[in-house]
Amino acid sequence: MRILPILSIGLATCAAGCATTPRPIPDEGAQWLAEHGQLAADRRSALIVVAGAEWCEPCNELEAQFWQQPAGLAVQASQVVRDVDAESPVGHAVAARLGVLGYPTTVILRPGPELREVGRIQGFDHVADYAARLQQALQRTEPAADPCPAQLAAIPAADPKGAVPALRCAAAALQGPQAPAAADVLAGQLAPAAAAGAAAWPEDARSEWLAALRLLGRWQARVRDDHVGCARTFAALGEWPGTDAGQKPGLWYWQTKCTLATGNGAAAEQLTTAFLGAHPDTATRALVADMVVHSALDTAWGPRLAERLLRELAAEQPQDPSHPYLLGRMYAHQGQVAAARAAFQRAIELRPGAALYRQQLQRMEATID
């Protein structure tokens, strides 16, 4: 139930009844979209924006399996296709304006008086499916019909089953111009009274509620740079009575990432230490190592913890390529080129078909040539 709104180059505004004043999205995103949208208009083509991050495994696989292959090259010859690193300053501004909440996200836009979003592909799994969805979007010239009401509905507190449609619409609206109003609607669900009795809700209602609030936290982090709000959202979800134990590691991950993004490394270390102490299993240690390598290597405690965990994991699971790969990223960050090269090569040896591992090694080698 994705909303496909007309995307204005102007700043997104708050819908009627919005309780807060949103922080303006950086102008760089609007300028970038205006420039590349004009290029698409001049070529009478679509503008295809592929938002990702250099560490994102599906992003690297999408590049290797589709965009570098004949089918992807043919699309690039007929359309304006642009990759944006959503974790670079300008790329972040572009991704924020497009409401990108996960990587990779492909947004297909048609130029006109304003850019119009005619399709969106979130994630990457199978080449054939991706190619088919991309071609379907390229055949459209106007946005799809909006399945949600123009005025976002309040979510009924006493009827968790009946709240599902409103939750879905609010979650979908986080990727469009109604996002500030949708965020207000969803944030109201974090109040303790809204979650009373959640443990007894039907499973599908609890899943929808949790999924919508997780998207709110991502929106706060990736679109509004509200990392304090993101950390609070995921902390609240971790305490919610409807959250089962299997969902809590992912909530900890985001709470800690957002806490680090506020600059509070000490609080993030405390969260990490407590989480490891409560969950010393292999899967948890691997999740912590991944978070630290991608988010905490600039802290005083991050590199030491990451190296210890990854060496333990590599000894316990010598055939798992993710452990030497993450060690390679850590060593590369520290400037230990020889150690990083050996670790990347070990990961490639264990999983020769992984585009991510090859490309990380190539990127590192390119920086030292």
Side-chain angles (χ1 to χ4, degrees):
M1 297 182 67
R2 248 285 302 159
I3 290 179
L4 296 173
I6 292 178
L7 178 71
S8 171
I9 292 297
L11 293 176
T13 58
C14 189
C18 184
T20 61
T21 301
R23 189 171 65 79
I25 295 171
D27 286 344
E28 293 93 336
Q31 294 165 0
W32 189 98
L33 285 166
E35 175 185 344
H36 292 87
Q38 185 58 56
L39 180 60
D42 293 343
R43 295 184 182 179
R44 299 185 178 181
S45 74
L47 169 60
I48 302 173
V49 181
V50 184
E54 53 88 16
W55 51 261
C56 162
E57 185 164 3
C59 304
N60 283 269
E61 293 299 333
L62 172 59
E63 174 69 16
Q65 294 183 36
F66 180 76
W67 290 111
Q68 293 180 4
Q69 301 303 317
L73 295 172
V75 174
Q76 293 179 63
S78 61
Q79 313 293 331
V80 176
V81 181
R82 295 291 182 267
D83 288 321
V84 295
D85 180 351
E87 299 200 342
S88 69
V90 174
H92 174 71
V94 173
R97 183 159 289 279
L98 293 175
V100 170
L101 303 182
Y103 311 144
T105 293
T106 304
V107 183
I108 301 91
L109 303 155
R110 286 286 176 188
E114 56 187 15
L115 282 174
R116 307 180 305 281
E117 180 181 328
V118 297
R120 178 177 294 232
I121 306 170
Q122 300 185 93
F124 173 73
D125 191 4
H126 300 294
V127 174
D129 176 66
Y130 181 88
R133 294 176 65 188
L134 182 60
Q135 287 303 319
Q136 288 171 2
L138 288 172
Q139 291 170 9
R140 293 195 289 268
T141 58
E142 295 296 334
D146 187 347
C148 294
Q151 182 67 36
L152 289 168
I155 297 172
D159 182 13
K161 190 86 171 177
V164 168
L167 280 167
R168 287 177 177 170
C169 282
L174 288 173
Q175 297 170 86
Q178 290 194 91
D184 285 343
V185 169
L186 291 170
Q189 298 303 296
L190 288 169
W201 289 0
E203 175 60 28
D204 58 346
R206 286 192 292 118
S207 296
E208 292 283 354
W209 192 95
L210 186 62
L213 271 294
R214 286 174 68 108
L215 281 179
L216 170 64
R218 287 184 177 226
W219 180 83
Q220 290 167 323
R222 287 182 168 165
V223 175
R224 283 306 157 104
D225 290 326
D226 179 9
H227 299 290
V228 171
C230 167
R232 288 174 178 166
T233 293
F234 284 104
L237 293 178
E239 298 298 323
W240 183 55
T243 300
D244 61 45
Q247 296 164 323
K248 291 191 176 184
L251 302 177
W252 164 84
Y253 188 96
W254 272 93
Q255 180 188 359
T256 307
K257 277 176 64 75
C258 289
T259 299
L260 280 163
T262 69
N264 195 342
E269 182 181 15
Q270 291 175 355
L271 285 168
T272 301
T273 301
F275 186 62
L276 275 173
H279 307 278
D281 57 281
T282 299
T284 295
R285 286 181 290 136
L287 180 68
V288 170
D290 181 270
M291 185 283 298
V292 172
V293 168
H294 289 119
S295 302
L297 289 182
D298 289 326
T299 66
W301 54 271
R304 181 177 64 255
L305 176 60
E307 183 166 24
R308 175 175 69 79
L309 290 174
L310 289 168
R311 287 192 175 280
E312 290 175 359
L313 290 164
E316 294 169 15
Q317 300 177 315
Q319 299 306 307
D320 188 329
S322 66
H323 308 322
Y325 160 69
L326 289 172
L327 274 170
R329 284 190 61 90
M330 187 196 71
Y331 290 137
H333 181 272
Q334 295 175 319
Q336 299 181 46
V337 174
R341 183 182 293 118
F344 284 139
Q345 288 172 343
R346 175 58 177 162
I348 294 168
E349 176 186 335
L350 290 171
R351 190 177 167 195
L356 175 64
Y357 302 162
R358 295 195 310 273
Q359 291 178 11
Q360 286 292 334
L361 177 58
Q362 290 167 3
R363 289 184 184 115
M364 185 191 73
E365 299 289 11
T367 65
I368 60 178
D369 286 344

